[in-house]
Amino acid sequence: MKSMAQLEYHYGLKVRIYPSDYQKQIIKVNSDASRFIYNEMVAIGKELWQLNRVKLSIDTVQDRIQQLKLRQNAKQMSNHFQFLEDKRIDSLAKANAIQNYHKAWNAFRKVHEAGVPKFHRKSYAWRYQTNCQYPKQKTARLDNGTICFEDRKHIVVPKLGRLRIKGAQQRLLDRQGETRIGTVTISKDAADRFFLSLQLASDTPFVSKLSRTNRQIGIDLNTENFLTASDGRTIANPRYYRTIKGKLAKAQRTLSRRQRRAKKEQRSLRESKNYQKQRLLVAKIHARVFDRRHDFLQRTSTALIKNQDLVVAEELRSKNLLKNHALAMSISDVGWRSFLGMLSYKADLYDRQFITVSPKNTTQTCHDCGFVMGSDGTEKLTLADREWICPQCHVHHIRDYNAALNILEKGLQKQQKA
């Protein structure tokens, strides 16, 4: 039987689950255990770093170093902290917590942006990971592992047992070839919704190959419209956050009042029923905005990838753009970074090509003659300039459409050089 890494095609599946009250308790216990083990690994790492700075050969220091090093595995940690021996805790959840700590260090060494691993705070969101295993099985399928689908409405997970699910795709269950389940993440968000995320792998493609369209497109992302394409089409910006901002503000003011009242009466927020009801209401409003935006981005990205052989977009760094306080809310609401990520993985999934190019002068350059605004003493275009006339060739341009044409041209040049 092949491992996940040896299988050619990979796919992610996220479904909503509906656990019973007892199953919710098990999820909470595993989430707390996973967070505790991760934080204990962070604490051990910090202490080892401090102890290794002691240059003198002190027996007490060396003994402590050896004790801490021995504790850096799931079995020894469970022996040291007896509550981790609880039968409700999945052993693979403990191993994954330690593995995630090491992955965080590897990410820090490669990227240096996220920083070193930090303590995970307790929150209203729960999360832990486990793995599907195939004991005494010659082939991997979706219905013969320790995590398996009973039917399109139910799945079995270790420690949790049988779970009712929503959204499992029947076409995946009907697959005849080998399909292996890898890491499985059980999570709860702040709106008290439970989800199950599965990593799937197979040597058979998860989606059918699409015929070539012989079409290329460049897209200019902006806050006025969501995007303007090089073929002249525009997609309106739905502005999901702005449409619900007033209702959210009102709910948050009520939440603040209930928080102040609970603190004044010296009651714990977790035990204050009125506060928790309002917190859940606010979380559901945020979740509604996220779900609507996510659905819009998924539909738009899928349509672009399926209908074009090549999609070209700008390399946008949202972190830098958010420094502009006048546009920060609009940029956060539009979800550019998520959209580009969707285009990237869907291009691989459907065997299409997605290219990003430098945004330098894509807006300021005339597509007809190549004149760059800001040169020869001319003034650069501002965000208020939605239409302009080229000073050199006198062609009238719609700002975003002209930028989309320049982006496509840059992408075609990059494609030829590759």
Side-chain angles (χ1 to χ4, degrees), residues 175-310:
R175 289 167 59 85
Q176 300 298 320
E178 180 179 8
T179 304
R180 186 183 179 98
I181 301 176
T183 303
V184 176
T185 304
I186 298 94
S187 61
K188 179 184 83 77
D189 64 8
D192 283 359
R193 300 179 302 175
F194 290 83
F195 297 95
L196 191 73
S197 302
L198 304 97
Q199 288 182 344
L200 307 179
S202 177
D203 281 330
T204 307
F206 286 95
V207 296
S208 56
K209 289 188 177 180
L210 301 172
S211 58
R212 311 305 291 180
T213 63
N214 297 319
R215 290 200 294 263
Q216 303 89 26
I217 197 169
I219 55 174
D220 175 58
L221 301 174
N222 51 81
T223 55
E224 192 71 21
N225 295 310
F226 176 71
L227 68 80
T228 302
S230 56
D231 59 4
R233 289 179 297 163
T234 62
I235 297 178
N237 185 356
R239 294 183 172 90
Y240 292 117
Y241 176 75
R242 286 183 180 274
T243 58
I244 210 167
K245 185 174 66 169
K247 184 177 180 180
L248 177 61
K250 184 178 179 180
Q252 287 175 327
R253 285 195 296 270
T254 304
L255 182 67
S256 296
R257 287 197 300 270
R258 292 185 180 180
Q259 181 184 26
R260 288 196 302 269
R261 187 184 306 155
K263 288 186 176 181
K264 185 177 180 181
E265 296 172 1
Q266 296 183 348
R267 288 183 286 114
S268 170
L269 292 179
R270 291 185 178 273
E271 296 175 359
S272 176
K273 292 184 179 180
N274 286 337
Y275 173 83
Q276 289 300 329
K277 286 180 183 178
Q278 192 64 23
R279 179 202 66 79
L280 189 59
L281 176 62
V282 172
K284 286 181 177 179
I285 294 174
H286 279 293
R288 194 179 309 141
V289 173
F290 172 82
D291 289 344
R292 293 174 67 191
R293 182 190 299 123
H294 185 75
D295 180 68
F296 167 75
L297 297 178
Q298 290 283 12
R299 290 175 184 274
T300 306
S301 58
T302 301
L304 282 172
I305 291 295
K306 282 187 173 182
N307 295 321
Q308 322 292 331
D309 291 337
L310 171 67

